[in-house]
């Protein structure tokens, strides 16, 4: 239940106008406050205190209000009935569906074939997955796309490299047999992963090699049998490795792995629309769409549709991908999640499809996230100075957890260590404002105290163990609540609101920080309010156990929205 919304709506109905409800930091004077009297005083031609006195009885008359009083120049503080809060607690974990359910295409992950996943794919994967889960929980039809880089220049580079090291392979021979079985040419992923970096390095110094890679790219796209057969040898190796990382990250499988290659199939209909609308212009052998507007006050280069070799570049595949989504999903909204350096690309893209009358610009959204830095404030690199691979990052965090566990006298199995490490990595990613940079420091994010994933998991494990030790109990009907218990209950009743606010603002940090606040209040409660101790009477014990059960429900759901697993012990 969304307590804030419930109280707000009842209050407005009673007053007959929109009152703004505030949540005071300090609950000493009330659970909510409103400045309605101050805002309405002018129109009513009264002074605020006078008006407050007039509307006070209406607020006091609401069946869930315990007391309401006037403070200062005309604020009204409202305290809710414990009885009401307690019964609302039973539905705290329920998520109210969004008023309008939408079809939302989410484009995140966007991995590249034959290039191992690296640090740049971390935020798109983790944040994308959580946004997807949030949207789904709110009743939207979410459709995820791992828009794979599986058809562009890097494919040509990889094939050119293989040609260079294995010129005798059949794929490169004029008498190539397209129906034979080539599976024995499969290479281990570790080897495949080295091809692109080697090729890219060579292309920088060797223009002939670069030229060769470009010719191969265009030929591959045109259906060259040998290159396509070779492509089909390394594609599954790459996909298999991605699937393993996705599993390791505990993100939901993508609904679609359709990327650039699929998009390229729609070149004809898209080109037709562009030509019919006179949007394609020739430019130095290439064909482009001009997207510059008169009122632009920054550079807005044209979008390349065909390059001078007739191949379709990255820009163009995104137009076709949107065309594909339009004719299949017909989404109300498309959300892209990439590094903020791609902002211009998406601005250009959105202009093209607006010119094509395909999508309204407010149905398209690009979220550009910040950089993951090391403690030196520069983009995080491994010791050898390279951009970190995603698997390396996971291993770094796992090792940091292992060290911590070894220092303490805990004995935890590998699965538990992996779950703690994943929580450390993901929670740290989610708790930061997604548009800002943040620092990645394995030893800090694995601490069992403070704003960290392990702290959240530890709290959940502790609550589960209380319930386990308690055995069966009955929830009391209308118990007396102390202030720590009441504070915790109020926070539980803010879960529903947080879920919708986090999604609406595309702010995954709201859900992560909610988990932290909830754990803080839980631990204060746990510290101040004994539960299973023999000195505690049965009514109090059952009330506190019920509160623990409600908290476990909400906290588990929150962790699930972040794709985290609660270990059985820690
Ligand atoms: N594969 C690209 C990369 O790794 C990102 C693609 C983002 N999504 C898109 N629809 N353009 O840089």
């Amino acid at each position: 239940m969304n307590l804030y919304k419930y109280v707000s709506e009842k209050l407005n109905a009673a007053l007959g106008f929109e009152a703004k409800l505030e949540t005071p930091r300090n609950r000493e004077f009330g659970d909510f406050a409103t400045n309605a009297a101050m805002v309405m005083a002018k129109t009513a031609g009264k002074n605020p205190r006078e008006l407050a006195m007039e509307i006070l009885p209406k607020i006091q008359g609401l069946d869930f209000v315990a007391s309401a009083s006037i403070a200062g120049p005309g604020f009204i503080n409202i305290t809710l009935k414990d009885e009401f809060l307690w019964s609302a607690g039973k539905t705290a974990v329920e998520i109210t569906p969004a008023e309008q359910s939408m079809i939302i295409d989410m484009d995140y992950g966007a991995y590249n074939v034959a290039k191992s996943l690296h640090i740049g794919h971390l935020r798109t994967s983790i944040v994308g997955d959580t946004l997807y889960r949030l949207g789904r929980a709110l009743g939207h039809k979410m459709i995820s796309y791992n828009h794979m880089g599986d058809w562009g220049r890097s494919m040509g580079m990889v094939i050119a490299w293989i040609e260079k090291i294995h010129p005798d392979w059949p794929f490169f021979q004029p008498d190539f047999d397209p129906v034979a079985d080539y599976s024995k040419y499969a290479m281990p992923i570790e080897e495949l992963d080295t091809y692109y970096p080697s090729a890219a390095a060579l292309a920088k110094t060797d223009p002939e090699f670069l030229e060769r890679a470009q010719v191969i790219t265009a030929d591959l796209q045109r259906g060259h049998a040998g290159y396509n057969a070779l492509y089909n040898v390394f594609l599954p190796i790459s996909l298999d490795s991605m699937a393993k990382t996705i599993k390791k990250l505990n993100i939901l499988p993508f609904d679609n792995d359709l990327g650039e290659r699929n998009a390229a199939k729609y070149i004809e209909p898209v080109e037709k629309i562009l030509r019919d609308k006179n949007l394609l212009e020739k430019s130095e052998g290439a064909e482009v769409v001009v997207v510059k507007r008169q009122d632009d006050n920054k550079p807005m280069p044209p979008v390349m549709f065909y390059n001078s070799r007739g191949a379709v570049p990255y820009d163009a595949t995104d137009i076709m991908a949107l065309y594909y989504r339009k004719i299949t999903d017909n989404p109300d909204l498309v959300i892209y999640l990439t590094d903020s350096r791609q902002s211009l690309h998406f601005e250009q893209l959105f202009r093209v499809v607006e010119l094509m009358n395909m999508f309204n610009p407010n149905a398209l959204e690009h979220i550009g996230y910040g950089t993951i830095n090391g403690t030196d404030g520069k983009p995080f690199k491994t010791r050898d100075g390279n951009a970190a691979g995603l698997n390396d990052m996971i291993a770094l965090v796992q090792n940091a957890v292992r060290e911590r566990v070894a220092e303490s006298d805990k004995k935890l199995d590998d699965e538990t260590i992996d779950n703690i490490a994943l929580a450390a990595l993901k929670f740290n990613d989610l708790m930061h404002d997604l548009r800002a940079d943040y620092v990645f420091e394995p030893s800090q994010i694995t601490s069992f105290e403070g704003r960290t994933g392990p702290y959240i998991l530890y709290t959940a494990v502790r609550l589960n163990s209380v319930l386990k030790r308690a055995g069966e109990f009955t929830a009391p009907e209308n118990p007396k609540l102390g202030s720590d218990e009441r504070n915790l209950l109020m926070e539980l009743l803010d879960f529903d609101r947080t879920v919708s606010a986090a999604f609406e603002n595309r702010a995954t940090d709201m859900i992560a920080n909610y988990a932290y606040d909830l754990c803080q209040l839980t631990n204060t409660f746990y510290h101040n309010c004994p539960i299973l101790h023999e000195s505690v009477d049965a009514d109090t014990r059952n009330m506190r156990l019920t509160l623990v059960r409600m908290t476990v429900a909400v906290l588990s759901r929150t962790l699930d929205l972040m794709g985290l697993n609660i270990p059985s012990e820690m």
Side-chain angles (χ1 to χ4, degrees):
M1 113 162 296
N2 186 335
L3 180 68
Y4 178 89
K5 196 161 171 234
Y6 181 88
V7 174
S8 232
E9 284 171 0
K10 296 282 179 196
L11 185 69
N12 290 344
L15 297 180
F17 60 84
E18 292 269 315
K20 182 151 169 43
L21 199 62
E22 281 164 43
T23 318
R25 234 164 235 282
N26 179 349
R27 293 217 177 96
E28 205 183 323
F29 303 110
D31 300 314
F32 293 106
T34 177
N35 64 359
M38 288 147 90
V39 175
M40 291 304 286
K42 229 191 180 148
T43 2
K46 297 189 174 134
N47 86 42
R49 250 196 110 85
E50 222 181 311
L51 186 63
M53 303 262 267
E54 252 179 66
I55 61 178
L56 191 64
K58 290 189 188 163
I59 298 177
Q60 286 165 331
L62 289 165
D63 60 2
F64 54 84
V65 170
S67 67
S69 59
I70 302 172
F75 278 108
I76 299 176
N77 290 323
I78 306 167
T79 301
L80 307 188
K81 284 185 184 155
D82 284 5
E83 184 189 341
F84 167 73
L85 295 178
W86 185 255
S87 96
K90 291 178 202 148
T91 59
V93 70
E94 285 168 21
I95 297 172
T96 314
E99 266 158 41
Q100 242 188 331
S101 162
M102 293 191 280
I103 300 174
I104 305 178
D105 282 1
M106 287 236 357
D107 185 310
Y108 59 98
Y111 308 145
N112 300 308
V113 166
K115 282 200 226 168
S116 54
L117 300 187
H118 55 79
I119 188 165
H121 295 111
L122 190 74
R123 292 186 97 174
T124 178
S125 305
I126 292 174
V127 172
D129 181 59
T130 290
L131 282 177
Y132 181 95
R133 291 174 193 251
L134 286 167
R136 193 173 65 172
L138 288 161
H140 297 298
K141 182 169 172 22
M142 306 297 289
I143 308 173
S144 59
Y145 282 84
N146 181 9
H147 181 80
M148 284 213 274
D150 54 1
W151 205 228
R153 205 182 68 131
S154 47
M155 298 301 97
M157 295 275 247
V158 168
I159 296 172
W161 184 260
I162 299 177
E163 180 189 52
K164 194 177 162 59
I165 56 176
H166 300 295
D168 53 320
W169 277 13
F171 314 103
F172 310 111
Q173 313 311 324
D175 60 348
F176 175 75
D177 171 9
V179 291
D181 175 17
Y182 294 103
S183 48
K184 69 167 184 191
Y185 292 92
M187 60 291 281
I189 182 72
E190 294 75 21
E191 195 182 316
L192 175 60
D193 277 348
T194 64
Y195 294 169
Y196 180 77
S198 311
L202 181 62
K204 275 199 187 126
T205 55
D206 183 346
E208 236 171 83
F209 177 77
L210 177 64
E211 167 71 23
R212 183 77 195 124
Q214 283 165 336
V215 170
I216 291 180
T217 308
D219 285 349
L220 172 77
Q221 292 184 354
R222 278 191 209 106
H224 182 286
Y227 302 159
N228 275 275
L230 177 54
Y231 175 90
N232 286 321
V233 166
F234 64 72
L235 178 70
I237 302 171
S238 204
L239 294 182
D240 184 54
S241 143
M242 283 176 207
K244 286 197 182 115
T245 312
I246 289 173
K247 195 150 180 264
K248 235 196 232 178
L249 283 175
N250 195 32
I251 65 175
L252 296 169
F254 288 93
D255 297 319
N256 293 289
D257 271 335
L258 300 170
E260 298 175 9
R261 185 187 188 185
N262 176 65
K265 292 185 201 149
Y266 298 90
I267 192 153
E268 259 176 55
V270 170
E271 183 178 333
K272 182 167 180 337
I273 301 173
L274 290 170
R275 293 223 189 276
D276 287 351
K277 295 195 184 290
N278 250 327
L279 292 168
L280 279 181
E281 284 181 26
K282 292 228 174 343
S283 167
E284 298 168 31
E287 291 201 78
V288 302
V289 183
V290 174
V291 289
K292 201 171 157 40
R293 289 178 191 154
Q294 246 163 16
D295 54 355
D296 280 333
N297 47 18
K298 61 175 179 195
M300 188 52 67
V303 172
M304 177 117 48
F305 190 72
Y306 281 120
N307 69 16
S308 55
R309 283 168 214 278
V312 275
Y314 178 62
D315 281 356
T317 45
D318 261 329
I319 308 175
M320 267 93 77
L322 269 180
Y323 175 82
Y324 173 79
R325 293 171 198 178
K326 180 86 194 177
I327 61 169
T328 52
D329 310 333
N330 192 20
D332 301 303
L333 185 63
V334 185
I335 303 176
Y336 293 88
L337 195 58
T338 77
D339 181 312
S340 59
R341 283 173 297 188
Q342 291 207 38
S343 298
L344 177 62
H345 164 74
F346 287 102
E347 223 180 317
Q348 293 172 295
L349 171 68
F350 297 170
R351 288 188 182 196
V352 174
V353 295
E354 189 187 1
L355 288 169
M356 292 170 75
N357 267 331
M358 197 154 84
F359 277 98
N360 191 310
N362 55 30
L364 304 167
E365 216 178 289
H366 171 242
I367 308 172
Y369 52 81
T371 311
I372 303 178
N373 290 330
T375 42
D376 58 358
K378 299 204 188 97
F380 181 82
K381 297 253 158 70
T382 51
R383 279 214 194 113
D384 56 12
N386 289 318
L390 208 47
N391 287 326
D392 301 335
M393 290 182 78
I394 296 173
L396 277 175
V397 182
Q398 285 170 343
N399 286 339
V401 173
R402 222 166 254 125
E403 270 169 37
R404 273 189 190 275
V405 171
E407 278 165 20
S408 69
D409 46 3
K410 293 186 209 289
K411 282 221 163 30
L412 301 176
D413 59 23
D414 283 346
E415 195 190 326
T416 304
I417 301 228
D418 291 354
N419 278 325
I420 298 172
L422 196 62
L425 184 72
K426 290 175 88 168
F427 183 80
N428 184 53
D429 197 75
L430 291 165
M431 75 176 207
H432 289 98
D433 173 356
L434 137 76
R435 288 145 191 100
D437 302 348
Y438 74 78
V439 173
F440 172 72
E441 218 278 278
S443 74
Q444 183 252 319
I445 65 175
T446 51
S447 167
F448 279 45
E449 280 150 43
R451 207 176 279 269
T452 67
Y455 169 74
I456 313 278
L457 288 193
Y458 187 72
T459 307
V461 168
R462 180 184 245 179
L463 292 181
N464 277 332
S465 114
V466 172
L467 287 184
K468 206 165 149 195
R469 274 183 284 139
E472 301 233 334
F473 62 91
T474 338
E477 257 335 300
N478 185 14
K480 212 173 120 31
L481 300 173
S483 68
D484 291 319
E485 290 139 354
R486 211 171 174 285
N487 286 342
L488 177 55
L489 185 53
M490 286 296 286
E491 188 68 20
L492 293 174
L493 291 168
D494 203 33
F495 169 70
D496 189 15
R497 188 199 61 81
T498 305
V499 170
S500 63
F503 186 70
E504 271 161 33
N505 295 295
R506 319 283 184 250
T508 41
D509 55 322
M510 290 177 84
I511 195 79
N513 288 311
Y514 172 79
Y516 176 73
D517 292 342
L518 181 60
C519 288
Q520 288 284 81
L521 289 167
T522 301
N523 287 316
T524 307
F525 154 76
Y526 188 77
H527 184 261
N528 295 342
C529 308
I531 304 173
L532 300 178
H533 194 268
E534 57 198 26
S535 64
V536 182
D537 65 76
D539 284 350
T540 308
R541 171 191 141 108
N542 287 347
M543 177 269 289
R544 290 181 179 160
L545 280 172
T546 307
L547 199 51
V548 169
R549 193 160 60 192
M550 290 173 183
T551 308
V552 165
V554 170
L555 187 55
S556 310
R557 188 82 180 90
T558 308
L559 286 166
D560 184 59
L561 289 167
M562 297 190 279
L564 300 180
N565 300 320
I566 306 173
S568 51
E569 59 167 342
M570 241 175 108

